[in-house]
mmCIF file of all heavy atoms in Angstrom:
data_model
loop_
_atom_site.group_PDB
_atom_site.id
_atom_site.type_symbol
_atom_site.label_atom_id
_atom_site.label_comp_id
_atom_site.label_asym_id
_atom_site.label_seq_id
_atom_site.Cartn_x
_atom_site.Cartn_y
_atom_site.Cartn_z
ATOM 1 N N THR Y 1 83.208 -118.307 146.794
ATOM 2 C CA THR Y 1 83.563 -119.541 146.112
ATOM 3 C C THR Y 1 82.320 -120.387 145.855
ATOM 4 O O THR Y 1 81.237 -120.092 146.371
ATOM 5 C CB THR Y 1 84.616 -120.335 146.911
ATOM 6 O OG1 THR Y 1 85.181 -121.336 146.064
ATOM 7 C CG2 THR Y 1 84.031 -120.972 148.162
ATOM 8 N N ALA Y 2 82.485 -121.447 145.058
ATOM 9 C CA ALA Y 2 81.343 -122.247 144.620
ATOM 10 C C ALA Y 2 80.991 -123.287 145.670
ATOM 11 O O ALA Y 2 80.958 -124.495 145.418
ATOM 12 C CB ALA Y 2 81.663 -122.912 143.289
ATOM 13 N N ALA Y 3 80.750 -122.829 146.873
ATOM 14 C CA ALA Y 3 80.422 -123.673 148.018
ATOM 15 C C ALA Y 3 79.304 -122.988 148.789
ATOM 16 O O ALA Y 3 78.636 -122.098 148.276
ATOM 17 C CB ALA Y 3 81.662 -123.901 148.885
ATOM 18 N N GLY Y 4 79.097 -123.406 150.043
ATOM 19 C CA GLY Y 4 78.064 -122.798 150.865
ATOM 20 C C GLY Y 4 76.680 -123.299 150.512
ATOM 21 O O GLY Y 4 76.489 -124.177 149.667
ATOM 22 N N PRO Y 5 75.652 -122.750 151.187
ATOM 23 C CA PRO Y 5 74.272 -123.206 150.966
ATOM 24 C C PRO Y 5 73.728 -122.748 149.621
ATOM 25 O O PRO Y 5 74.137 -121.705 149.092
ATOM 26 C CB PRO Y 5 73.512 -122.542 152.120
ATOM 27 C CG PRO Y 5 74.292 -121.290 152.406
ATOM 28 C CD PRO Y 5 75.732 -121.659 152.183
ATOM 29 N N ALA Y 6 72.805 -123.505 149.061
ATOM 30 C CA ALA Y 6 72.120 -123.091 147.842
ATOM 31 C C ALA Y 6 71.413 -121.756 148.098
ATOM 32 O O ALA Y 6 70.870 -121.552 149.183
ATOM 33 C CB ALA Y 6 71.109 -124.154 147.429
ATOM 34 N N PRO Y 7 71.462 -120.814 147.137
ATOM 35 C CA PRO Y 7 71.881 -120.990 145.742
ATOM 36 C C PRO Y 7 73.325 -120.574 145.440
ATOM 37 O O PRO Y 7 73.670 -120.404 144.258
ATOM 38 C CB PRO Y 7 70.914 -120.066 145.005
ATOM 39 C CG PRO Y 7 70.753 -118.901 145.955
ATOM 40 C CD PRO Y 7 70.764 -119.518 147.340
ATOM 41 N N TYR Y 8 74.183 -120.372 146.450
ATOM 42 C CA TYR Y 8 75.526 -119.847 146.178
ATOM 43 C C TYR Y 8 76.354 -120.697 145.219
ATOM 44 O O TYR Y 8 77.006 -120.140 144.320
ATOM 45 C CB TYR Y 8 76.280 -119.612 147.488
ATOM 46 C CG TYR Y 8 75.889 -118.328 148.174
ATOM 47 C CD1 TYR Y 8 75.155 -118.346 149.353
ATOM 48 C CD2 TYR Y 8 76.245 -117.092 147.640
ATOM 49 C CE1 TYR Y 8 74.778 -117.170 149.986
ATOM 50 C CE2 TYR Y 8 75.879 -115.907 148.265
ATOM 51 C CZ TYR Y 8 75.144 -115.948 149.440
ATOM 52 O OH TYR Y 8 74.782 -114.784 150.055
ATOM 53 N N PRO Y 9 76.390 -122.032 145.356
ATOM 54 C CA PRO Y 9 77.234 -122.784 144.417
ATOM 55 C C PRO Y 9 76.853 -122.558 142.951
ATOM 56 O O PRO Y 9 77.724 -122.473 142.082
ATOM 57 C CB PRO Y 9 76.995 -124.239 144.833
ATOM 58 C CG PRO Y 9 76.657 -124.151 146.288
ATOM 59 C CD PRO Y 9 75.821 -122.913 146.401
ATOM 60 N N ARG Y 10 75.554 -122.455 142.703
ATOM 61 C CA ARG Y 10 75.105 -122.215 141.329
ATOM 62 C C ARG Y 10 75.416 -120.787 140.886
ATOM 63 O O ARG Y 10 75.894 -120.566 139.766
ATOM 64 C CB ARG Y 10 73.610 -122.467 141.222
ATOM 65 C CG ARG Y 10 73.049 -122.209 139.838
ATOM 66 C CD ARG Y 10 71.540 -122.226 139.851
ATOM 67 N NE ARG Y 10 70.997 -122.061 138.514
ATOM 68 C CZ ARG Y 10 69.713 -121.861 138.276
ATOM 69 N NH1 ARG Y 10 68.853 -121.818 139.279
ATOM 70 N NH2 ARG Y 10 69.273 -121.713 137.041
ATOM 71 N N ILE Y 11 75.145 -119.808 141.743
ATOM 72 C CA ILE Y 11 75.376 -118.413 141.381
ATOM 73 C C ILE Y 11 76.845 -118.176 141.059
ATOM 74 O O ILE Y 11 77.195 -117.589 140.027
ATOM 75 C CB ILE Y 11 74.907 -117.476 142.521
ATOM 76 C CG1 ILE Y 11 73.379 -117.479 142.616
ATOM 77 C CG2 ILE Y 11 75.422 -116.064 142.312
ATOM 78 C CD1 ILE Y 11 72.827 -116.706 143.800
ATOM 79 N N VAL Y 12 77.713 -118.640 141.948
ATOM 80 C CA VAL Y 12 79.154 -118.431 141.727
ATOM 81 C C VAL Y 12 79.610 -119.176 140.480
ATOM 82 O O VAL Y 12 80.368 -118.644 139.660
ATOM 83 C CB VAL Y 12 79.960 -118.862 142.967
ATOM 84 C CG1 VAL Y 12 81.455 -118.730 142.712
ATOM 85 C CG2 VAL Y 12 79.551 -118.017 144.184
ATOM 86 N N ARG Y 13 79.155 -120.426 140.314
ATOM 87 C CA ARG Y 13 79.482 -121.189 139.111
ATOM 88 C C ARG Y 13 79.079 -120.436 137.846
ATOM 89 O O ARG Y 13 79.855 -120.290 136.894
ATOM 90 C CB ARG Y 13 78.776 -122.547 139.175
ATOM 91 C CG ARG Y 13 79.184 -123.578 138.131
ATOM 92 C CD ARG Y 13 78.299 -123.665 136.888
ATOM 93 N NE ARG Y 13 76.883 -123.538 137.000
ATOM 94 C CZ ARG Y 13 76.003 -124.531 137.157
ATOM 95 N NH1 ARG Y 13 76.407 -125.771 137.334
ATOM 96 N NH2 ARG Y 13 74.713 -124.278 137.157
ATOM 97 N N ASP Y 14 77.847 -119.938 137.831
ATOM 98 C CA ASP Y 14 77.356 -119.266 136.637
ATOM 99 C C ASP Y 14 78.160 -118.008 136.314
ATOM 100 O O ASP Y 14 78.488 -117.753 135.148
ATOM 101 C CB ASP Y 14 75.882 -118.910 136.801
ATOM 102 C CG ASP Y 14 74.960 -120.119 136.733
ATOM 103 O OD1 ASP Y 14 75.451 -121.233 136.443
ATOM 104 O OD2 ASP Y 14 73.748 -119.945 136.979
ATOM 105 N N PHE Y 15 78.495 -117.217 137.322
ATOM 106 C CA PHE Y 15 79.266 -116.000 137.066
ATOM 107 C C PHE Y 15 80.709 -116.314 136.670
ATOM 108 O O PHE Y 15 81.349 -115.521 135.982
ATOM 109 C CB PHE Y 15 79.238 -115.076 138.281
ATOM 110 C CG PHE Y 15 77.920 -114.373 138.494
ATOM 111 C CD1 PHE Y 15 77.407 -114.193 139.781
ATOM 112 C CD2 PHE Y 15 77.178 -113.893 137.430
ATOM 113 C CE1 PHE Y 15 76.193 -113.551 139.988
ATOM 114 C CE2 PHE Y 15 75.963 -113.245 137.624
ATOM 115 C CZ PHE Y 15 75.468 -113.075 138.902
ATOM 116 N N GLN Y 16 81.242 -117.462 137.108
ATOM 117 C CA GLN Y 16 82.619 -117.824 136.757
ATOM 118 C C GLN Y 16 82.722 -118.637 135.473
ATOM 119 O O GLN Y 16 83.830 -118.777 134.917
ATOM 120 C CB GLN Y 16 83.272 -118.603 137.902
ATOM 121 C CG GLN Y 16 83.513 -117.799 139.175
ATOM 122 C CD GLN Y 16 84.543 -116.682 139.001
ATOM 123 O OE1 GLN Y 16 85.084 -116.455 137.918
ATOM 124 N NE2 GLN Y 16 84.825 -115.982 140.081
ATOM 125 N N THR Y 17 81.613 -119.135 134.961
ATOM 126 C CA THR Y 17 81.656 -119.954 133.750
ATOM 127 C C THR Y 17 82.166 -119.173 132.544
ATOM 128 O O THR Y 17 82.610 -119.762 131.555
ATOM 129 C CB THR Y 17 80.264 -120.560 133.468
ATOM 130 O OG1 THR Y 17 79.930 -121.448 134.535
ATOM 131 C CG2 THR Y 17 80.224 -121.341 132.179
ATOM 132 N N ILE Y 18 82.174 -117.855 132.632
ATOM 133 C CA ILE Y 18 82.728 -117.047 131.554
ATOM 134 C C ILE Y 18 84.176 -117.432 131.256
ATOM 135 O O ILE Y 18 84.645 -117.320 130.122
ATOM 136 C CB ILE Y 18 82.615 -115.536 131.882
ATOM 137 C CG1 ILE Y 18 82.903 -114.703 130.642
ATOM 138 C CG2 ILE Y 18 83.516 -115.148 133.054
ATOM 139 C CD1 ILE Y 18 82.564 -113.236 130.805
ATOM 140 N N ILE Y 19 84.893 -117.931 132.270
ATOM 141 C CA ILE Y 19 86.280 -118.362 132.064
ATOM 142 C C ILE Y 19 86.325 -119.481 131.024
ATOM 143 O O ILE Y 19 87.050 -119.404 130.017
ATOM 144 C CB ILE Y 19 86.915 -118.858 133.377
ATOM 145 C CG1 ILE Y 19 86.886 -117.793 134.458
ATOM 146 C CG2 ILE Y 19 88.350 -119.346 133.126
ATOM 147 C CD1 ILE Y 19 87.288 -118.323 135.842
ATOM 148 N N GLY Y 20 85.566 -120.545 131.253
ATOM 149 C CA GLY Y 20 85.580 -121.684 130.346
ATOM 150 C C GLY Y 20 84.933 -121.394 129.009
ATOM 151 O O GLY Y 20 85.386 -121.902 127.975
ATOM 152 N N VAL Y 21 83.877 -120.577 129.002
ATOM 153 C CA VAL Y 21 83.214 -120.225 127.743
ATOM 154 C C VAL Y 21 84.181 -119.486 126.828
ATOM 155 O O VAL Y 21 84.317 -119.809 125.635
ATOM 156 C CB VAL Y 21 81.952 -119.388 128.015
ATOM 157 C CG1 VAL Y 21 81.413 -118.777 126.727
ATOM 158 C CG2 VAL Y 21 80.880 -120.242 128.689
ATOM 159 N N GLU Y 22 84.877 -118.491 127.386
ATOM 160 C CA GLU Y 22 85.861 -117.754 126.590
ATOM 161 C C GLU Y 22 86.993 -118.673 126.136
ATOM 162 O O GLU Y 22 87.396 -118.664 124.967
ATOM 163 C CB GLU Y 22 86.449 -116.599 127.406
ATOM 164 C CG GLU Y 22 85.532 -115.432 127.596
ATOM 165 C CD GLU Y 22 86.185 -114.322 128.413
ATOM 166 O OE1 GLU Y 22 87.373 -114.459 128.808
ATOM 167 O OE2 GLU Y 22 85.505 -113.309 128.659
ATOM 168 N N ALA Y 23 87.524 -119.460 127.064
ATOM 169 C CA ALA Y 23 88.669 -120.315 126.749
ATOM 170 C C ALA Y 23 88.317 -121.334 125.671
ATOM 171 O O ALA Y 23 89.143 -121.628 124.795
ATOM 172 C CB ALA Y 23 89.159 -121.019 128.009
ATOM 173 N N ARG Y 24 87.122 -121.870 125.725
ATOM 174 C CA ARG Y 24 86.679 -122.847 124.726
ATOM 175 C C ARG Y 24 86.704 -122.231 123.331
ATOM 176 O O ARG Y 24 87.251 -122.822 122.380
ATOM 177 C CB ARG Y 24 85.280 -123.340 125.086
ATOM 178 C CG ARG Y 24 84.762 -124.467 124.217
ATOM 179 C CD ARG Y 24 83.330 -124.827 124.610
ATOM 180 N NE ARG Y 24 82.821 -125.872 123.749
ATOM 181 C CZ ARG Y 24 82.813 -127.163 124.051
ATOM 182 N NH1 ARG Y 24 83.283 -127.576 125.219
ATOM 183 N NH2 ARG Y 24 82.339 -128.057 123.202
ATOM 184 N N ALA Y 25 86.121 -121.053 123.193
ATOM 185 C CA ALA Y 25 86.103 -120.386 121.886
ATOM 186 C C ALA Y 25 87.507 -120.000 121.442
ATOM 187 O O ALA Y 25 87.864 -120.138 120.264
ATOM 188 C CB ALA Y 25 85.201 -119.154 121.948
ATOM 189 N N GLN Y 26 88.319 -119.520 122.391
ATOM 190 C CA GLN Y 26 89.659 -119.062 122.041
ATOM 191 C C GLN Y 26 90.565 -120.200 121.578
ATOM 192 O O GLN Y 26 91.323 -120.057 120.616
ATOM 193 C CB GLN Y 26 90.287 -118.347 123.245
ATOM 194 C CG GLN Y 26 89.657 -116.994 123.544
ATOM 195 C CD GLN Y 26 90.098 -116.438 124.900
ATOM 196 O OE1 GLN Y 26 90.242 -117.186 125.868
ATOM 197 N NE2 GLN Y 26 90.310 -115.135 124.974
ATOM 198 N N ILE Y 27 90.496 -121.347 122.256
ATOM 199 C CA ILE Y 27 91.397 -122.443 121.881
ATOM 200 C C ILE Y 27 90.954 -123.095 120.575
ATOM 201 O O ILE Y 27 91.796 -123.544 119.785
ATOM 202 C CB ILE Y 27 91.532 -123.469 123.026
ATOM 203 C CG1 ILE Y 27 92.883 -124.204 122.890
ATOM 204 C CG2 ILE Y 27 90.358 -124.433 123.082
ATOM 205 C CD1 ILE Y 27 93.360 -124.853 124.159
ATOM 206 N N VAL Y 28 89.658 -123.110 120.303
ATOM 207 C CA VAL Y 28 89.189 -123.594 119.005
ATOM 208 C C VAL Y 28 89.684 -122.664 117.895
ATOM 209 O O VAL Y 28 90.104 -123.120 116.824
ATOM 210 C CB VAL Y 28 87.654 -123.733 118.997
ATOM 211 C CG1 VAL Y 28 87.132 -123.942 117.581
ATOM 212 C CG2 VAL Y 28 87.221 -124.895 119.887
ATOM 213 N N ALA Y 29 89.667 -121.357 118.154
ATOM 214 C CA ALA Y 29 90.178 -120.408 117.161
ATOM 215 C C ALA Y 29 91.665 -120.609 116.903
ATOM 216 O O ALA Y 29 92.137 -120.465 115.765
ATOM 217 C CB ALA Y 29 89.912 -118.982 117.627
ATOM 218 N N GLU Y 30 92.424 -120.965 117.959
ATOM 219 C CA GLU Y 30 93.872 -121.156 117.821
ATOM 220 C C GLU Y 30 94.227 -122.511 117.231
ATOM 221 O O GLU Y 30 95.128 -122.623 116.394
ATOM 222 C CB GLU Y 30 94.541 -121.023 119.195
ATOM 223 C CG GLU Y 30 94.544 -119.622 119.769
ATOM 224 C CD GLU Y 30 95.506 -118.702 119.031
ATOM 225 O OE1 GLU Y 30 96.523 -119.190 118.503
ATOM 226 O OE2 GLU Y 30 95.218 -117.497 118.986
ATOM 227 N N GLU Y 31 93.563 -123.568 117.679
ATOM 228 C CA GLU Y 31 93.970 -124.937 117.359
ATOM 229 C C GLU Y 31 93.017 -125.673 116.407
ATOM 230 O O GLU Y 31 93.362 -126.730 115.894
ATOM 231 C CB GLU Y 31 94.101 -125.757 118.648
ATOM 232 C CG GLU Y 31 95.270 -125.351 119.520
ATOM 233 C CD GLU Y 31 96.611 -125.711 118.885
ATOM 234 O OE1 GLU Y 31 96.699 -126.760 118.206
ATOM 235 O OE2 GLU Y 31 97.563 -124.932 119.062
ATOM 236 N N GLY Y 32 91.825 -125.132 116.227
ATOM 237 C CA GLY Y 32 90.847 -125.822 115.402
ATOM 238 C C GLY Y 32 90.209 -127.014 116.097
ATOM 239 O O GLY Y 32 89.475 -127.794 115.472
ATOM 240 N N ARG Y 33 90.465 -127.135 117.377
ATOM 241 C CA ARG Y 33 89.885 -128.239 118.148
ATOM 242 C C ARG Y 33 89.912 -127.893 119.628
ATOM 243 O O ARG Y 33 90.511 -126.899 120.040
ATOM 244 C CB ARG Y 33 90.632 -129.541 117.895
ATOM 245 C CG ARG Y 33 92.052 -129.608 118.487
ATOM 246 C CD ARG Y 33 92.636 -130.977 118.221
ATOM 247 N NE ARG Y 33 93.952 -131.211 118.792
ATOM 248 C CZ ARG Y 33 94.179 -131.743 119.993
ATOM 249 N NH1 ARG Y 33 93.157 -132.035 120.802
ATOM 250 N NH2 ARG Y 33 95.401 -131.983 120.419
ATOM 251 N N LEU Y 34 89.289 -128.750 120.435
ATOM 252 C CA LEU Y 34 89.270 -128.566 121.872
ATOM 253 C C LEU Y 34 90.543 -129.142 122.501
ATOM 254 O O LEU Y 34 91.238 -129.952 121.882
ATOM 255 C CB LEU Y 34 88.034 -129.233 122.474
ATOM 256 C CG LEU Y 34 86.689 -128.637 122.049
ATOM 257 C CD1 LEU Y 34 85.540 -129.471 122.591
ATOM 258 C CD2 LEU Y 34 86.564 -127.191 122.496
ATOM 259 N N PRO Y 35 90.854 -128.755 123.735
ATOM 260 C CA PRO Y 35 92.066 -129.275 124.381
ATOM 261 C C PRO Y 35 91.908 -130.727 124.790
ATOM 262 O O PRO Y 35 90.800 -131.259 124.870
ATOM 263 C CB PRO Y 35 92.204 -128.371 125.610
ATOM 264 C CG PRO Y 35 90.801 -127.949 125.920
ATOM 265 C CD PRO Y 35 90.135 -127.788 124.587
#
């Protein structure tokens, strides 16, 4: 999880950011705007 000593919070965040990156592009494609 995105906790623990550095650099774990950053590493986990970076590997999980794919969720929001994909979702951002997908919802713009569906709605023409952000949520």
Side-chain angles (χ1 to χ4, degrees):
T1 195
Y8 280 110
R10 179 190 183 189
I11 290 174
V12 176
R13 190 264 321 268
D14 288 354
F15 287 141
Q16 293 294 2
T17 296
I18 193 169
I19 302 170
V21 168
E22 286 180 1
R24 186 183 178 97
Q26 289 168 322
I27 205 159
V28 168
E30 290 288 330
E31 290 291 325
R33 70 177 183 92
L34 295 174

